[in-house]
Amino acid sequence: MDETYNHVIPNMNAEEYRNLSDADRPPVHDKQLQVIKVFQDKSVIIGASNMIDRNWNGTFWYYNQLENFDRNKAYGAIRTDSGIADAAYLGQHNKCIIGEDSGTIQIVELNDEKNDDSSSTLKTFKSLSYSCQHDDCLISLSVFDNKLCAVSAGMDCCIKVWDVTEDLKSTHSYNSAHCDTITCVSAQPKSDSVFASTSKDSDTLIWDTRKSKPAHGIFKNNNCGLTAIAWKPNDENIVAIGAEDKSITIVDIRNPNTEICSNVVFDRAVYKLEFNPLIPNQLAGCCDGNMVKMFDIDRNLVTIYEDDRHQDFVRGLAWHQNKLLTCSWDNSILNHSLVEL
């Protein structure tokens, strides 16, 4: 008996997307705000990802004021080929380093460009250097005090130290620096060679690039991975460490594995921590949720401020004067006046 087979056209979605022009694609919203940083209370940089299409990319904005963050009010902006994971100033208000989800790092500079149609001047970002040496998503980067070097890390378990003066080149590569995803790297204040790292392998390490054996452990959480670290501004020996078990622990790096204090402070894993540079005992934090909190580390991390106005994950924290700016995947930036509860 003859059988008739119907010819089924293969799924054409991939081909359809591949042939879309920029004009055919949906509007780019970049609502997933990931990074916010303040330079000397004078300017702000904001990084975001666009996750509404098959091709994820990002946008990096520069504002020369700290009040109105309307996209049309941005002083300068640049598109990136992948989502923005982290960014930082390089000692100047107009020069920054950007880390992307793809593992790419680039240095950009804000320049004046003459408008052909008039005598007006446009502000545009120029990419000065570009490198992709991470084998997986970049998660965190930090700039050393001399502004000549930076450190980056991510899902490839590798830490890289970069010379950011001219050509972007890696001066140190610590492969398999941790046994799992590196969640945060942070340069020690007033240091040009020491930094800390946290990882989902439960370890916090202190690194010194001048040493032949550069790393040693200062804290280990045997119950879960570690997600964030921040240095106390007026004491380069004190760090705050966030964990997946919703806790924050304060540690003196001179006394490894000895806690100054520890407390469960969120209902989800800690994501980011940032000390108030003007009042160093105040620590701001956010988690894998919409809650922003601030703690007093001198009183066993008691909560002195909390806010849940964001409608999605809070991802960026930045202090200016005695106020806190936060950005979220809900496409909003909020200003928090820290009034004690």
Side-chain angles (χ1 to χ4, degrees):
M1 185 174 63
D2 293 333
E3 295 183 5
T4 301
Y5 294 93
N6 294 323
H7 178 66
V8 179
I9 298 175
N11 188 305
M12 298 296 290
N13 282 342
E15 188 68 22
E16 190 72 22
Y17 270 97
R18 190 158 41 243
N19 293 325
L20 285 178
S21 68
D22 289 340
D24 296 325
R25 295 182 181 279
V28 176
H29 298 299
D30 296 292
K31 67 170 291 187
Q32 288 84 16
L33 302 184
Q34 183 74 22
V35 182
I36 184 166
K37 298 290 176 70
V38 175
F39 180 78
Q40 297 179 355
D41 292 333
K42 296 178 181 179
S43 67
V44 179
I45 52 175
I46 298 169
S49 296
N50 167 38
M51 302 182 190
I52 62 171
D53 200 349
R54 284 169 60 103
N55 297 319
W56 288 7
N57 45 37
T59 304
F60 183 73
W61 295 278
Y62 176 95
Y63 293 85
N64 62 349
Q65 43 77 30
L66 289 83
E67 296 174 355
N68 187 349
F69 298 108
D70 185 302
R71 303 289 169 83
N72 296 322
K73 300 295 184 181
Y75 201 56
I78 187 173
R79 296 288 297 170
T80 57
D81 293 333
S82 55
I84 294 177
D86 206 351
Y89 286 96
L90 286 176
Q92 306 172 37
H93 70 90
N94 65 333
K95 192 174 182 181
C96 308
I97 184 169
I98 302 173
E100 301 179 34
D101 288 336
S102 61
T104 298
I105 293 177
Q106 66 171 315
I107 297 174
V108 297
E109 185 177 52
L110 191 66
N111 292 316
D112 294 336
E113 183 175 293
K114 289 293 183 181
N115 192 330
D116 295 334
D117 299 330
S118 67
S119 59
S120 63
T121 301
L122 301 176
K123 295 291 185 180
T124 60
F125 272 109
K126 177 184 178 182
S127 181
L128 301 181
S129 51
Y130 183 101
S131 182
C132 187
Q133 295 186 25
H134 282 285
D135 294 329
D136 209 327
C137 294
L138 184 147
I139 292 179
S140 179
L141 62 81
S142 182
V143 177
F144 288 95
D145 187 65
N146 60 10
K147 312 303 180 186
L148 304 177
C149 300
V151 57
S152 65
M155 293 181 68
D156 60 356
C157 306
C158 175
I159 292 175
K160 288 185 174 291
V161 179
W162 303 86
D163 180 345
V164 298
T165 52
E166 295 181 4
D167 294 332
L168 186 59
K169 60 182 180 181
S170 174
T171 59
H172 297 82
S173 290
Y174 302 115
N175 296 317
S176 301
H178 284 270
C179 300
D180 205 337
T181 296
I182 300 170
T183 53
C184 188
V185 285
S186 182
Q188 184 184 45
K190 301 179 182 179
S191 174
D192 300 333
S193 60
V194 178
F195 65 92
S197 64
T198 57
S199 168
K200 289 188 176 181
D201 67 6
S202 304
D203 277 326
T204 301
L205 304 180
I206 299 295
W207 300 77
D208 191 333
T209 59
R210 299 167 298 182
K211 297 182 178 180
S212 57
K213 294 183 178 180
H216 67 275
I218 60 162
F219 178 73
K220 185 177 183 69
N221 187 325
N222 294 314
N223 299 318
C224 66
L226 302 176
T227 55
I229 191 164
W231 296 87
K232 190 177 181 183
N234 66 337
D235 191 336
E236 66 272 15
N237 296 308
I238 304 299
V239 293
I241 302 168
E244 290 180 329
D245 65 1
K246 315 158 192 173
S247 70
I248 297 175
T249 301
I250 308 299
V251 174
D252 188 328
I253 66 173
R254 296 167 296 186
N255 300 302
N257 296 308
T258 301
E259 302 174 4
I260 294 177
C261 64
S262 184
N263 205 348
V264 175
V265 294
F266 286 107
D267 58 2
R268 295 185 180 183
V270 178
Y271 180 77
K272 186 178 285 291
L273 300 171
E274 196 77 34
F275 277 99
N276 184 343
L278 297 181
I279 309 177
N281 67 300
Q282 294 181 351
L283 175 69
C286 60
C287 64
D288 286 338
N290 67 332
M291 180 64 73
V292 176
K293 290 188 177 183
M294 207 266 283
F295 315 96
D296 187 338
I297 68 168
D298 291 341
R299 291 192 283 157
N300 196 35
L301 290 162
V302 64
T303 300
I304 57 176
Y305 175 88
E306 59 182 16
D307 187 303
D308 63 355
R309 287 178 290 164
H310 282 295
Q311 301 301 308
D312 207 331
F313 291 142
V314 180
R315 285 298 177 251
L317 305 173
W319 291 92
H320 75 97
Q321 298 177 0
N322 198 31
K323 297 181 180 180
L324 181 71
L325 289 173
T326 59
C327 68
S328 165
W329 281 5
D330 65 5
N331 197 28
S332 70
I333 297 171
L334 298 181
N335 198 329
H336 305 263
S337 297
L338 303 178
V339 179
E340 188 166 336
L341 296 177

